[in-house]
Amino acid sequence: MIRIGIVGATGYTAYELIKLLLGHRDAQIVRLTSRSDHGTPIDKTHPALRNRLDVLLTDFEIDDFSQNVDCAFCCLPHAASSPVVKELADRGIRTIDFSADYRLNDLASFKRWYQAEHADEGRLGNVPYGIPELWRTQIRDSLVVANPGCFPTTSIMPLAPLLRAGLIRGDDIIVDSKTGVSGGGRTPKLAFHFPECNESISAYAVGTHRHSPEMEQITERFSGCGVSIHFVPHLVPMDRGILSTIYVNKMALNTSVNDAMASLSAFYRDEPFVRVSDVLPSTKDVSGTNFCDITVREVGSRWVIVSAIDNLIKGASGAAVQNMNVMFGLEETEGLL
Amino acid sequence: MIRIGIVGATGYTAYELIKLLLGHRDAQIVRLTSRSDHGTPIDKTHPALRNRLDVLLTDFEIDDFSQNVDCAFCCLPHAASSPVVKELADRGIRTIDFSADYRLNDLASFKRWYQAEHADEGRLGNVPYGIPELWRTQIRDSLVVANPGCFPTTSIMPLAPLLRAGLIRGDDIIVDSKTGVSGGGRTPKLAFHFPECNESISAYAVGTHRHSPEMEQITERFSGCGVSIHFVPHLVPMDRGILSTIYVNKMALNTSVNDAMASLSAFYRDEPFVRVSDVLPSTKDVSGTNFCDITVREVGSRWVIVSAIDNLIKGASGAAVQNMNVMFGLEETEGLL
Amino acid sequence: MIRIGIVGATGYTAYELIKLLLGHRDAQIVRLTSRSDHGTPIDKTHPALRNRLDVLLTDFEIDDFSQNVDCAFCCLPHAASSPVVKELADRGIRTIDFSADYRLNDLASFKRWYQAEHADEGRLGNVPYGIPELWRTQIRDSLVVANPGCFPTTSIMPLAPLLRAGLIRGDDIIVDSKTGVSGGGRTPKLAFHFPECNESISAYAVGTHRHSPEMEQITERFSGCGVSIHFVPHLVPMDRGILSTIYVNKMALNTSVNDAMASLSAFYRDEPFVRVSDVLPSTKDVSGTNFCDITVREVGSRWVIVSAIDNLIKGASGAAVQNMNVMFGLEETEGLL
Amino acid sequence: MIRIGIVGATGYTAYELIKLLLGHRDAQIVRLTSRSDHGTPIDKTHPALRNRLDVLLTDFEIDDFSQNVDCAFCCLPHAASSPVVKELADRGIRTIDFSADYRLNDLASFKRWYQAEHADEGRLGNVPYGIPELWRTQIRDSLVVANPGCFPTTSIMPLAPLLRAGLIRGDDIIVDSKTGVSGGGRTPKLAFHFPECNESISAYAVGTHRHSPEMEQITERFSGCGVSIHFVPHLVPMDRGILSTIYVNKMALNTSVNDAMASLSAFYRDEPFVRVSDVLPSTKDVSGTNFCDITVREVGSRWVIVSAIDNLIKGASGAAVQNMNVMFGLEETEGLL
């Protein structure tokens, strides 16, 4: 039984993680930490967990974790995460970090986009990006894994194989993403106040969203040259789910959309959580699951890729459990199907 | 042209009021006050008002209002409202108060339910309750009007005529109300955070909601004896609207639901904003309107009244405009149909 | 491994059932029938099942079921169900019926409320009502189980223990229920067309809903005398969930709401799927789970019970799996927690 | 007083049109036709119109219209519309057609995209496209006006001025649009069944939507050369509103997004219904209004235009009333502000 500790356990991703782990045969939640709510049972924060999990929220203490935790999930915000992850990793605790602190290639990128110091510069750039379908071996062997961003997951998963196969060009890729409101976190803000965002759709962070460099840096590892992504996220009045509509140029005039579909199908043939098919994805079809649904269509001279995930599962906590399963040599689908 | 000043102009009721007044031929908005946002144009707070209203938010000053405002709408919270209303009224400015400060019969009730001091004790109990269908003459002649509560509007409007006609009993009335989230105001709170209240319905303030005594005191004026109301409000994942399902006992065994319908129809025959009909009300049918829809059905030994309003219109700002129209001798439907 | 056949496999309850059974260790879906879609794979009807279940929709054939199915779930509409259930039961196949055909006490009641013939009169009245918390032994020993109605589940579960304990009166009980739209089934109708029911709440079937006699007949088994329930259901703009607000009169003046809570807590102490607590239930807290959450509050002279379930889980498919677990001697929570 | 007849009066666009005309000082609705519901009052179809409009639905008869109607709005589906519009126009009745029958340049395009015959070939290509901001004079002088498509309105309004000014290139324009469900009409279908489309977003008609040629043909009139638009619409779980995110290439490297904003601001300076500003548009800010909100941002090497309208107002019935106002020499904002 793997003993689990979750740092920063009161937000939505931690909550989803808890629910997934409750259905996992080999995991047992032993520590939940919260700076604000420590001392109260978790079901005070999340009444839906009554009768399901009887664990007290505590302050994070590295000695305590060192003795009692085999696998830590760190659900802290960026910049607040790396100091904790460093402590955990330095004590040899295998850690999956939900923040963006270890996702970018280098310190300069991190500082430019996050305008913060990094407490663990040595590891930055050496931590595998937590998409097992792309880096399974590295994840298996690593002490720390950088759980991927929700939007990047929807774009990297279809783009990586197509770039590697040389079927599409890396320049002028447009990623138009639509997300449910849980992506904004659990802290009340006017933008996420029900009567403000219900019955409305809007774009936000146009040209400034921090997932842009993440998408570009990660996909560049597959393209062999520069990738330029124009990314615009939108807020949709629903709880969960991300749909990304991705407009790409094909590399060669004589290829067809069937080539793209065949390439993706082959690449993900044995993957339990990727469904490449002719069906146009919808967020409802992946809601509550760890699936990433993908299709490709032809629109004029471009190919249009549509991909969908549940932002809280494959876009966060499901991916984290999948990473844990890989790291600990378990059945990769355990707790997820 | 009636010169309008709105005190506390950044919330949802003030916003609806502004939109209604923009379509009113005889009203001109000249002052909008806000303690927090003063100095900025109103369309900074509500971008939807761009190109529609070019007024700066200012601090409330009684001298300024005294010289420039004919009719004031006070949209402050309870207890914060009466000091301002007193100032306005003492200067002779006709004022419609959105708060509960003048709705209850007496100081003791106010203190018990609102646990606050009252700055204008002399007027409390002498201000007409702002349902023109029930107190048109008093409203016309009054300096101050107490705009009614949203839930009470849905129950008082059907109950008052039936109690007066002696068709129903005043004891053991059950009012089960369902409201959209805008009823909770514009300040972000966890309860109104989209991923918390979307896809969910729940009861709140069970047995403790301050609209209970308001319903009882106002309907007692029609029953001639005590009225006992069991009131439970519920939060529904929609922007606006209130539906109330009201379970009453008929007074005499030999009356039928047709008698109740006939009584209500007769009472409201000439009222432009009350629709008594066999159609089961829905909040969508009254959304964006000043209508109150009412029907009565038989369920076992009881009659069930169903009523619906738009909480922001007939439940707040529409009623306020209707009151203004009555107070200033205008066509009562101006700006509302 | 229990071999499962689902008759009428394309609606929402069958879909939820399939998803639950996919996570059940001892069940294997071997037959899915559909009159309209037979010959196509189930994931054509429900694309979300791609890669999860590879079964063809077929016509129902009793010989085929007789040889290949251990446990049948019949998800047909009322009156269409009893002929099939009779065939299955006559061949000795243990069957859980989702329709109302076996829920009422007697043929006269069935005919009055459903205005249809009954194909299996002999069994009607002799089939246990499928709430294991109330009839576990009978369910375990029965060939056929009548899966309970969604609304009745929310009222019977709190009312039964309180009636049996003599804490509340059986007359003049008011059940005001609110349901998500999936309760209306998967056939497109104007009432469930998104722009009609979104952003709206309304009452329906006021005084005529067929779950009224079901609630009364079942609770009367606990009261020892007549129970009179005034039931009004409402349609809420959300996918799933039922919240019922139940207004009861206590039997004795000197009892308090704590007595009611204590009685319910004791009655359900060892039940894994009933959570009696001070927390006001919300449908979100039970969404996707087999829980029934219950609380009791005092409002004036009455007690108000609030209960919540997921209409598709504890109100339909979760209850069905729970019944199957009881019937086949499995861990009762298997596939459900 | 302009006497109004609406052909095909039971759908959502006709319903919005009726509500707008009820607030119009110079219009009186005298005829409402419906093939399916004729003989019943309009408030049978739309209960929200009780007490507001007392008109019977009738069959369409050209002689009757000829004598009693000054302005006809034809809300029939494509191909069904042109025969009626022809009859109306041949009798000299000024007609605003909501269908696509007169929007395309030529018969060949119409036949290719709509695969239907056209009953009025002579007029096709000679009817002004009903965006008054772009063709005010032509609309004023025309017997028939082609009310624009909802999606095209959101793209043509920002693209036309920028193409004319030579600021952007006409090739490789990407229009990613998001629409509320009312855009799908009032006929119940599985795709618009609440539990199917609620809590979900999906793309549809990818590469095949009939608004693509409409966008291209209309914008080409401004570009002076070919325009190539990649258009993908998405269905969003909300009642109304369209947001379009439009990715364009600028023509010259030394222009900035400020040039685009300045150009749009100048072009629409005196227009009451177009708001060009730095604020990112949301559908909520234009909901229930005739506004088209537009902004432009820089994202990498591209400019991203975001535009928003209410699909039922500026995208249909509001535009129609605006067109009527222009055609009849009325104040253009009458009934719309």
Side-chain angles (χ1 to χ4, degrees), chain A residues 252-319:
Chain A
L253 281 178
N254 63 345
T255 53
S256 84
V257 81
N258 295 331
D259 298 313
M261 287 290 286
S263 175
L264 285 166
S265 295
F267 190 91
Y268 288 119
R269 180 174 298 121
D270 300 323
E271 292 296 341
F273 296 122
V274 185
R275 301 190 295 198
V276 178
S277 89
D278 288 335
V279 178
L280 276 171
S282 76
T283 58
K284 181 153 265 178
D285 278 354
V286 295
S287 184
T289 81
N290 199 47
F291 286 114
C292 177
D293 282 2
I294 301 173
T295 200
V296 190
R297 297 286 173 95
E298 190 150 31
V299 178
S301 62
R302 284 195 176 245
W303 288 344
V304 175
I305 303 163
V306 186
S307 61
I309 62 167
D310 184 321
N311 62 308
L312 294 176
I313 310 286
K314 187 59 175 166
S317 307

Side-chain angles (χ1 to χ4, degrees), chain B residues 54-102:
Chain B
D54 188 16
V55 171
L56 218 63
L57 290 166
T58 55
D59 263 326
F60 172 72
E61 288 178 26
I62 184 62
D63 288 338
D64 173 55
F65 263 58
S66 185
Q67 287 159 35
N68 295 294
V69 166
D70 301 313
C71 179
F73 294 89
C74 190
C75 302
L76 298 175
H78 68 86
S81 196
S82 57
V84 173
V85 172
K86 184 178 190 314
E87 278 194 284
L88 291 162
D90 287 351
R91 298 286 188 105
I93 301 172
R94 302 195 77 175
T95 301
I96 295 155
D97 180 31
F98 279 61
S99 85
D101 284 1
Y102 297 88

Side-chain angles (χ1 to χ4, degrees), chain A residues 73 96-97 127-142 144-149 152-153 156-157 160-161 164 218 221-222 267-274 290-292 309 313-334 336:
Chain A
F73 294 90
I96 295 156
D97 181 31
V127 165
Y129 193 79
I131 298 183
E133 290 83 357
L134 302 178
W135 289 281
R136 186 166 283 117
T137 312
Q138 294 88 329
I139 291 165
R140 193 186 56 209
D141 300 338
S142 183
V144 178
V145 170
N147 216 44
T153 296
I156 293 165
M157 294 198 74
R164 170 154 294 168
I218 304 296
R221 302 181 191 170
F222 294 85
F267 190 91
Y268 288 119
R269 180 174 298 121
D270 300 323
E271 292 296 341
F273 296 122
V274 185
N290 199 47
F291 286 114
C292 177
I309 62 167
I313 310 286
K314 187 59 175 166
S317 307
V321 171
Q322 190 181 353
N323 281 319
M324 178 190 80
N325 289 341
V326 171
M327 292 164 84
F328 285 82
L330 307 173
E331 184 74 33
E332 192 165 325
T333 58
E334 176 55 36
L336 296 170

Side-chain angles (χ1 to χ4, degrees), chain D residues 12-300:
Chain D
Y12 288 136
T13 52
Y15 175 51
E16 285 300 315
L17 181 60
I18 289 168
K19 290 196 289 184
L20 290 172
L21 291 172
L22 286 173
H24 194 292
R25 302 181 196 196
D26 305 306
Q28 188 184 7
I29 298 169
V30 297
R31 289 294 181 277
L32 298 173
T33 85
S34 163
R35 219 173 306 183
S36 54
D37 294 349
H38 68 105
T40 62
I42 183 66
D43 66 7
K44 185 98 188 295
T45 301
H46 292 295
L49 293 176
R50 273 170 299 155
N51 293 24
R52 302 189 65 187
L53 180 64
D54 188 17
V55 170
L56 219 62
L57 291 164
T58 56
D59 263 327
F60 173 72
E61 286 177 28
I62 184 62
D63 288 339
D64 173 55
F65 263 60
S66 183
Q67 287 159 35
N68 295 295
V69 166
D70 302 313
C71 178
F73 294 89
C74 191
C75 301
L76 299 175
H78 68 86
S81 195
S82 58
V84 172
V85 172
K86 184 180 191 315
E87 279 194 283
L88 290 162
D90 287 352
R91 296 289 188 103
I93 301 172
R94 303 194 77 175
T95 300
I96 295 155
D97 181 30
F98 279 60
S99 86
D101 285 3
Y102 296 90
R103 293 185 201 150
L104 296 183
N105 288 340
D106 56 275
L107 191 61
S109 298
F110 179 81
K111 287 193 168 174
R112 181 163 67 251
W113 282 92
Y114 289 90
Q115 281 157 0
E117 295 305 303
H118 198 290
D120 194 17
E121 299 181 9
R123 279 195 185 83
L124 178 54
N126 298 308
V127 164
Y129 192 80
I131 297 183
E133 290 83 356
L134 301 178
W135 289 281
R136 185 166 283 117
T137 312
Q138 295 88 328
I139 291 164
R140 192 186 58 208
D141 300 338
S142 184
L143 193 57
V144 178
V145 169
N147 216 44
C150 52
F151 291 121
T153 296
T154 62
S155 59
I156 294 165
M157 294 197 73
L159 290 174
L162 296 174
L163 286 166
R164 170 152 295 166
L167 283 166
I168 60 171
R169 292 171 50 180
D171 63 321
D172 199 33
I173 294 173
I174 284 148
V175 177
D176 188 291
S177 295
K178 299 89 177 168
T179 182
V181 185
S182 63
R186 197 165 182 247
T187 305
K189 294 178 188 169
L190 189 61
F192 311 132
H193 191 53
F194 187 93
E196 298 288 318
C197 58
N198 186 45
E199 286 295 298
S200 193
I201 180 166
S202 56
Y204 67 96
V206 178
T208 62
H209 199 285
R210 287 153 167 170
H211 283 175
S212 295
E214 189 175 325
M215 292 182 195
E216 292 182 342
Q217 289 191 358
I218 304 297
T219 51
E220 278 171 359
R221 300 178 193 171
F222 294 86
S223 73
C225 62
V227 171
S228 167
I229 290 179
H230 309 282
F231 170 57
V232 178
H234 300 77
L235 191 68
V236 178
M238 59 185 190
D239 277 357
R240 52 205 296 166
I242 293 179
L243 189 90
S244 286
T245 314
I246 306 170
Y247 303 81
V248 299
N249 286 305
K250 54 186 175 180
M251 189 65 87
L253 282 178
N254 63 345
T255 53
S256 84
V257 81
N258 295 331
D259 298 312
M261 287 291 286
S263 176
L264 285 167
S265 295
F267 191 91
Y268 288 120
R269 179 172 300 121
D270 301 323
E271 292 297 340
F273 296 122
V274 185
R275 299 191 295 197
V276 179
S277 88
D278 287 335
V279 178
L280 276 171
S282 76
T283 58
K284 181 151 264 178
D285 277 354
V286 296
S287 183
T289 80
N290 199 47
F291 287 113
C292 178
D293 282 1
I294 301 172
T295 200
V296 191
R297 296 286 174 97
E298 192 150 31
V299 179

Side-chain angles (χ1 to χ4, degrees), chain B residues 172 174 176 178 195-196 198-203 206-207 230-232 234 236-239 243 245 247 280-284 297 299-302, chain C residues 172 174 176 178 195-196 198-204 206-207 230-232 234 236-239 243 245 247 280-284 297 299 301-302:
Chain B
D172 200 32
I174 284 149
D176 189 292
K178 298 90 177 167
E196 298 289 317
N198 186 44
E199 286 294 294
S200 193
I201 179 167
S202 56
V206 178
H230 310 282
F231 170 57
V232 178
H234 299 77
V236 179
M238 58 186 192
D239 277 358
L243 190 89
T245 314
Y247 302 81
L280 276 172
S282 76
T283 58
K284 180 153 266 179
R297 297 285 174 96
V299 178
S301 60
R302 285 196 175 243
Chain C
D172 201 32
I174 284 148
D176 188 291
K178 298 89 176 167
E196 298 288 317
N198 186 46
E199 286 295 295
S200 194
I201 179 166
S202 56
Y204 67 96
V206 178
H230 310 281
F231 170 56
V232 178
H234 300 77
V236 179
M238 59 186 191
D239 277 358
L243 188 90
T245 314
Y247 303 81
L280 276 172
S282 76
T283 59
K284 179 152 267 178
R297 297 285 174 98
V299 179
S301 60
R302 283 194 177 247

